[in-house]
Amino acid sequence: DPRRYPPGWVRSIVRMQAAMRRKLFRMNFGDVPEMREYAPPPPSLAVSLYQMRRMRNPEWVDFDTEATTMIQLVCSRSTDRITFTELTELSSIYEKIFPETHAVMAQLREKIYACIVARQEVLQERLAECTTPRDIQALMDELLAGVPDSLMEHFDFVHYAMAETTDRAENDLLEKLRHCQTIAEIRKFEAGLPAGFGSLPK
């Protein structure tokens, strides 16, 4: 039941609230040994207690309020300051609770779409600067890391660019290889392969 497992953002809020309560308690009562047993639990313990209570009985959670708060936080952040992992985590939880027509789900889909478009624009701009398969692979490792499989279809153009660049580079290399007349030239040719294709297999 996904309702039993709070999103990472909820855990962070619980942790910050616990830290604030302890700070306020110390401001009011000081660090007196006799009062320590009455102090709010430390942040890590507060998060654990919250998760235990939620796992035992998720019905006490006001999911409308929680989801609305999470979406407000998500929508307030720019597309370059939020990850697809965070978005898909929220989606996987709240899609089991709310119908597709719910305002929370609609706003979440809009944010995911905005992040996809923003990432596509960056990829297309950076792809224009890539000249070798290694360049494109480095770009994929940087900008497609963390993108879930369910959204990867929106970035198929990167894989197409990789295939086209690889084919073009292979054809260029084969043409150069045909002009190699000596062992020294072949060795020089082989030494230049890692610049475009990465390390050779051992």
Side-chain angles (χ1 to χ4, degrees), residues 145-188:
V147 176
D149 294 339
S150 59
L151 300 179
M152 195 60 74
E153 63 179 353
H154 298 285
F155 306 100
D156 284 344
F157 66 92
V158 182
H159 298 282
Y160 295 148
M162 169 66 89
E164 292 176 358
T165 304
T166 301
D167 289 342
R168 184 168 57 252
E170 287 178 349
N171 291 333
D172 291 343
L173 289 172
L174 288 174
E175 184 63 26
K176 293 178 181 179
L177 182 60
R178 293 190 185 98
H179 292 82
C180 294
Q181 301 295 327
T182 65
I183 294 178
E185 291 177 343
I186 293 176
R187 288 177 177 173
K188 182 178 180 181

Side-chain angles (χ1 to χ4, degrees), residues 106-121:
Q107 293 180 59
L108 186 55
R109 285 194 300 270
E110 289 179 3
K111 191 64 176 183
I112 292 175
Y113 179 74
C115 289
I116 290 174
V117 172
R119 189 65 57 88
Q120 287 175 335
E121 291 175 349

Side-chain angles (χ1 to χ4, degrees), residues 60-131:
W60 68 272
V61 179
D62 184 351
F63 285 104
D64 276 312
T65 300
E66 176 187 288
T68 300
T69 302
M70 292 299 100
I71 293 303
Q72 289 175 346
L73 290 173
V74 166
C75 292
S76 66
R77 302 185 74 178
S78 59
T79 55
D80 60 342
R81 295 186 60 229
I82 190 169
T83 66
F84 285 105
T85 300
E86 293 171 322
L87 293 172
T88 53
E89 180 190 28
L90 293 176
S91 179
S92 64
I93 292 175
Y94 296 136
E95 69 182 3
K96 303 294 192 304
I97 301 172
F98 304 111
E100 291 185 2
T101 56
H102 195 280
V104 165
M105 300 307 299
Q107 293 180 59
L108 186 55
R109 285 194 300 270
E110 289 179 3
K111 191 64 176 183
I112 292 175
Y113 179 74
C115 289
I116 290 174
V117 172
R119 189 65 57 88
Q120 287 175 335
E121 291 175 349
V122 174
L123 282 166
Q124 289 173 345
E125 182 179 350
R126 297 275 297 277
L127 271 175
E129 304 171 358
C130 296
T131 58

